[in-house]
Amino acid sequence: MAGNRLKVAALQAPFGTDIDENIKTVTALVRAAAGDGAQVILPPELFQGPYFCKTQEEHWFETAYPALEHPCVTALQPLAAELGVAIPVSIFEKDGPCYYNSLVMLDADGAALGVYRKSHIPDGPGYQEKYYFRPGDTGFKVWPTKHGRIGVGICWDQWFPEAARAMAMMGADVLMYPTAIGSEPHDDSLDTAARWRRAMQGHAVSNVIPVVAANRVGDENGQVFYGTSFIADHTGGVVADLGRAETGHISAEFDLDFLNRHRAAWGFFRDRRPEFYR
């Protein structure tokens, strides 16, 4: 952290079947975001390849790796160290006979701080993740990176206020959500982009905390990912965003000392009544 300030970034891009090309895409965007001064840089969910969970096909299990051996992790570790940036890396993880939708948090020296496994696993048309992933067993995580305390949930986690509150209670300075979301195959008229944003903007308001969401774009065999990646400040206001088809990065800087004071002044954590929430 530069003094008491933290600059974060979100990346947005389409991804294909070639993992090496996808890593090159993310690498170029990380470099661009770091060039703008970003210190913690968020790529989208499962950028290793296409979003394979829209159907149930067993060959995709071959694309999972142990967390610290995953090609996306081993490729971005030296980049994080070179640029001095922290990178939450979304992966398809294999742990013995178990498979997870996971994230490895890389610190600004390239060190892996640990693994978070997605807690909430969706199962619906076009998003059949329960076929591939076990529910996460790590609990929520807040990572003490060299630039700040980063809480990260994965896609479907972003809809649950309990996840955001848990990470805020653990002392997160910012919440980040790598995502793969777009069209709904069962209903062409359903566009969730606005409510997707509003859910996370609500987390920002209720926890007085910035929120960063990174989505993919592109048409993957009829499933169109709608981008609209954004950064919201502690009021829920969108301070940076991308369109539905753009490839690029966005960034925003926050004063962490101010946010800590302001969070205390609002009293959300002082006035909680968890004995009534069960």
Side-chain angles (χ1 to χ4, degrees):
M1 188 165 40
N4 63 343
R5 304 189 71 82
L6 173 65
K7 192 166 187 177
V8 296
L11 312 182
Q12 180 171 290
F15 301 102
T17 57
D18 188 328
I19 187 171
D20 292 329
E21 287 302 313
N22 295 334
I23 290 172
K24 287 180 183 177
T25 295
V26 168
T27 295
L29 291 172
V30 167
R31 287 191 180 280
D36 282 346
Q39 299 157 297
V40 184
I41 301 170
L42 180 69
E45 181 187 22
L46 294 172
F47 65 84
Q48 66 182 60
Y51 179 75
F52 54 85
C53 307
K54 65 183 176 181
T55 56
Q56 298 183 11
E57 300 177 56
E58 64 184 53
H59 70 88
W60 289 114
F61 288 106
E62 299 170 5
T63 66
Y65 295 82
L68 300 185
E69 300 172 18
H70 196 287
C72 292
V73 173
T74 58
L76 293 181
Q77 280 184 294
L79 182 68
E82 174 195 342
L83 300 175
V85 298
I87 309 173
V89 183
S90 171
I91 61 166
F92 187 13
E93 180 195 0
K94 174 178 170 58
D95 182 17
C98 300
Y99 295 80
Y100 300 94
N101 186 337
S102 299
L103 181 137
V104 177
M105 187 72 216
L106 299 183
D107 206 350
D109 59 0
L113 297 181
V115 178
Y116 167 68
R117 291 170 172 164
K118 187 173 181 177
S119 300
H120 305 93
I121 309 298
D123 184 29
Y127 303 90
Q128 300 179 44
E129 294 195 13
K130 281 187 166 67
Y131 176 76
Y132 296 100
F133 311 130
R134 290 172 60 91
D137 58 2
T138 60
F140 301 114
K141 297 282 189 179
V142 171
W143 309 104
T145 75
K146 295 183 183 300
H147 296 305
R149 295 179 58 83
I150 310 302
V152 186
I154 302 172
C155 202
W156 192 226
D157 288 334
Q158 71 209 358
W159 295 90
F160 293 81
E162 298 87 350
R165 175 53 55 87
M167 290 186 283
M169 292 292 293
M170 295 166 69
D173 293 316
V174 63
L175 302 181
M176 291 188 156
Y177 296 98
T179 297
I181 190 169
S183 59
E184 305 290 340
H186 69 293
D187 185 353
D188 291 340
S189 68
L190 180 58
D191 185 340
T192 62
R195 71 186 75 178
W196 172 76
R197 276 195 179 187
R198 285 195 293 264
M200 287 178 280
Q201 289 174 272
H203 303 334
V205 173
S206 296
N207 295 287
V208 195
I209 196 169
V211 171
V212 183
N215 194 14
R216 63 173 67 206
V217 294
D219 185 336
E220 298 183 13
N221 295 317
Q223 189 173 24
V224 180
F225 293 89
Y226 52 58
T228 65
S229 302
F230 71 98
I231 301 173
D233 67 12
H234 64 287
T235 73
V238 174
V239 295
D241 64 350
L242 289 160
R244 286 178 172 260
E246 288 181 89
T247 294
H249 75 275
I250 48 175
S251 61
E253 187 174 48
F254 299 101
D255 182 332
L256 300 185
D257 288 344
F258 163 78
L259 290 174
N260 281 324
R261 291 194 307 271
H262 201 58
R263 191 176 300 118
W266 268 83
F268 291 145
F269 297 91
R270 179 197 64 210
D271 297 339
R272 292 179 69 248
R273 297 297 303 276
E275 68 271 26
F276 297 149
Y277 301 159
R278 298 186 186 279

